[in-house]
Amino acid sequence: MSNSKLYKGSLSTIILKLLAENNKMYGYEMTQRVKELTQGELTITEGALYPALHKLEADGFLEVEMQKVDNRLRKYYKLTQAGTQERVNRIEELERFIETIQGIVNPKPSLG
Amino acid sequence: MSNSKLYKGSLSTIILKLLAENNKMYGYEMTQRVKELTQGELTITEGALYPALHKLEADGFLEVEMQKVDNRLRKYYKLTQAGTQERVNRIEELERFIETIQGIVNPKPSLG
DNA sequence: CAAATATACCTAATTTTCTTATGCATAAAA
DNA sequence: TTTTATGCATAAGAAAATTAGGTATATTTG
């Protein structure tokens, strides 16, 4: 039941935000963290996550570091300097969107 | 400058919300209303709007009424009964998304 | 009066960003 | 031993935008 719809365009912002708070994370870890943070409301699918990570890396916002744990390979991502700046922009944009859409969904009556 | 990004998936919710408050509206009017409501922050492009209106109509959520004003044709849309219900669902979904994403962007520290 | 802007609709090509469905591999649990 | 969990990946397809046109009338501006 439930499971909030992921509005297209918000995923990479979520990734940048997670990495800003955790220094380095690997893909699978992100899917689990989002489940925790949202009490299961939001599920990041791997089909969406991995291509998004690759794109952020190609754009120079993330850098990669491989690590073997329990004989399984993990691909750790962390923010580059450009990624740190991009995160600020994206969060700002997301917050502006939320304010903006609340101006439509919960319009304040004009004064006067 | 500015102009908030429209997260993909939110447009039809905006349309349903506008029609719930204005009984009937035509496309061009919606683009202007959104500009007003958001102080120019959000611009609904016609390339996005018209296909979205057609889809909502095809899905049975909107009905159409033509009207000629000043020798120009207007296509007024209004909610059907199904559309009125759909509006409730979509607004709910959007608000759940906003709460959910704020749980990620502004996570509350766990108690204890 | 001519040109630009505003009003009003539309669509087609392309791009972005998902979902769904796979595939591979190792480890732990049932 | 089969399922679930961990961990990566991609490919086909769908959804929903952007961008860039097109048509037509009315109004404003230089």
Side-chain angles (χ1 to χ4, degrees):
Chain A
M1 285 303 94
S2 80
N3 210 358
S4 177
K5 178 182 170 188
L6 176 66
Y7 283 82
K8 294 186 183 182
S10 52
L11 177 56
S12 53
T13 305
I14 293 173
I15 293 172
L16 294 175
K17 176 64 179 180
L18 290 174
L19 286 174
E21 284 181 348
N22 295 278
N23 184 44
K24 72 179 189 178
M25 293 183 82
Y26 55 101
Y28 185 80
E29 188 184 9
M30 296 182 194
T31 67
Q32 304 308 303
R33 182 67 49 87
V34 168
K35 259 191 229 165
E36 278 173 39
L37 286 171
T38 68
Q39 279 94 50
E41 265 290 301
L42 200 57
T43 301
I44 304 300
T45 65
E46 299 183 323
L49 178 67
Y50 291 114
L53 286 171
H54 300 160
K55 181 164 196 318
L56 286 169
E57 187 194 352
D59 288 344
F61 300 135
L62 303 186
E63 58 189 13
V64 176
E65 179 196 324
M66 305 297 289
Q67 201 171 313
K68 204 164 195 173
V69 177
D70 283 334
N71 211 34
R72 272 196 245 89
L73 209 56
R74 286 180 187 168
K75 209 167 161 182
Y76 279 96
Y77 289 91
K78 58 161 68 171
L79 294 178
T80 61
Q81 196 148 28
T84 301
Q85 182 52 52
E86 185 70 4
R87 176 207 132 238
V88 176
N89 299 338
R90 301 265 188 128
I91 294 282
E92 217 177 272
E93 186 163 70
L94 179 59
E95 281 173 345
R96 211 160 64 228
F97 166 73
I98 290 175
E99 269 179 56
T100 296
I101 205 151
Q102 277 174 341
I104 298 173
V105 169
N106 289 315
K108 283 175 189 137
S110 58
L111 310 173
Chain B
M1 287 306 95
S2 81
N3 210 359
S4 178
K5 177 182 169 188
L6 177 65
Y7 283 81
K8 294 185 183 181
S10 53
L11 177 56
S12 54
T13 304
I14 293 173
I15 293 171
L16 294 175
K17 176 65 179 181
L18 290 174
L19 287 173
E21 284 180 349
N22 296 279
N23 184 45
K24 73 179 189 181
M25 294 183 84
Y26 55 102
Y28 185 79
E29 187 184 11
M30 296 182 194
T31 66
Q32 303 308 303
R33 182 66 51 86
V34 167
K35 258 191 230 165
E36 278 173 40
L37 286 172
T38 67
Q39 279 95 52
E41 265 289 302
L42 200 57
T43 300
I44 304 300
T45 64
E46 299 184 325
L49 178 67
Y50 290 113
L53 286 171
H54 301 159
K55 181 164 198 316
L56 286 169
E57 187 193 352
D59 288 343
F61 300 135
L62 304 185
E63 58 189 12
V64 177
E65 180 195 323
M66 305 296 290
Q67 201 171 312
K68 204 164 195 172
V69 177
D70 284 333
N71 211 35
R72 273 197 245 89
L73 208 55
R74 284 181 189 169
K75 208 167 161 181
Y76 278 97
Y77 289 92
K78 59 160 69 170
L79 294 178
T80 60
Q81 196 148 27
T84 301
Q85 182 53 53
E86 185 70 5
R87 177 207 132 242
V88 176
N89 299 338
R90 301 264 189 129
I91 294 281
E92 218 177 271
E93 186 163 70
L94 179 59
E95 282 174 343
R96 211 161 63 228
F97 166 72
I98 291 175
E99 270 179 56
T100 296
I101 205 152
Q102 278 175 340
I104 298 173
V105 168
N106 288 315
K108 283 175 191 141
S110 57
L111 310 173

